[in-house]
Amino acid sequence: QVQLVESGGGLVRTGDSLRLSCAASGRAFVTYAVGWFRQAPGKERELAAAISWSGTSYRDSVKGRFTISRDNAKNTVDLQMNSLKPEDTAVYYCAASARGKSWAADDYDYWGQGTQVTVSS
């Protein structure tokens, strides 16, 4: 089975940077598309960024500020977040899909436990 564990969240100020890491178990992970989702309290879970063999995707609100990358040798996927804003505050989840990138959370098969990112004004 594939297990995902996120780390790197924290409390930062507007304009700061954080680097989130998704560590995976399972050799099949290298073939999966991986998405970073986020969910603020009372709000819908949304995709921030995704990566697959075909490339990367970003939601417009994070484009130019966030970068998703993967290191297959380490079985990790990272999300570099720069110029953070209070509206980026959310629990961030790593998710993996065997079917390719998708904007829909339901298309992802495996999920981590989440890591909290809080950006103060």
Side-chain angles (χ1 to χ4, degrees):
Q1 63 175 353
V2 175
Q3 295 186 73
L4 307 175
V5 179
E6 304 97 333
S7 62
L11 195 159
V12 297
R13 299 182 66 179
T14 297
D16 284 352
S17 297
L18 281 173
R19 189 174 184 91
L20 306 183
S21 182
C22 175
S25 65
R27 60 194 303 169
F29 182 70
V30 301
T31 71
Y32 288 3
V34 177
W36 279 99
F37 287 82
R38 63 188 188 180
Q39 187 167 27
K43 299 189 69 176
E44 188 175 72
R45 187 171 298 189
E46 64 180 23
L47 183 73
I51 188 168
S52 73
W53 65 268
S54 63
T56 58
S57 300
Y58 300 91
R59 96 177 296 105
D60 286 343
S61 61
V62 310
K63 197 171 299 181
R65 299 189 297 119
F66 290 11
T67 302
I68 188 169
S69 61
R70 73 191 307 166
D71 186 334
N72 287 334
K74 298 178 180 178
N75 240 28
T76 58
V77 174
D78 287 1
L79 184 68
Q80 177 67 45
M81 305 185 295
N82 298 327
S83 302
L84 284 162
K85 306 173 180 179
E87 50 262 47
D88 296 318
T89 295
V91 177
Y92 283 71
Y93 298 91
C94 176
S97 170
R99 297 178 294 277
K101 291 183 295 181
S102 174
W103 294 98
D106 286 349
D107 289 337
Y108 290 79
D109 305 300
Y110 304 98
W111 291 82
Q113 83 288 353
T115 185
Q116 177 71 49
V117 172
T118 302
V119 185
S120 64
S121 301

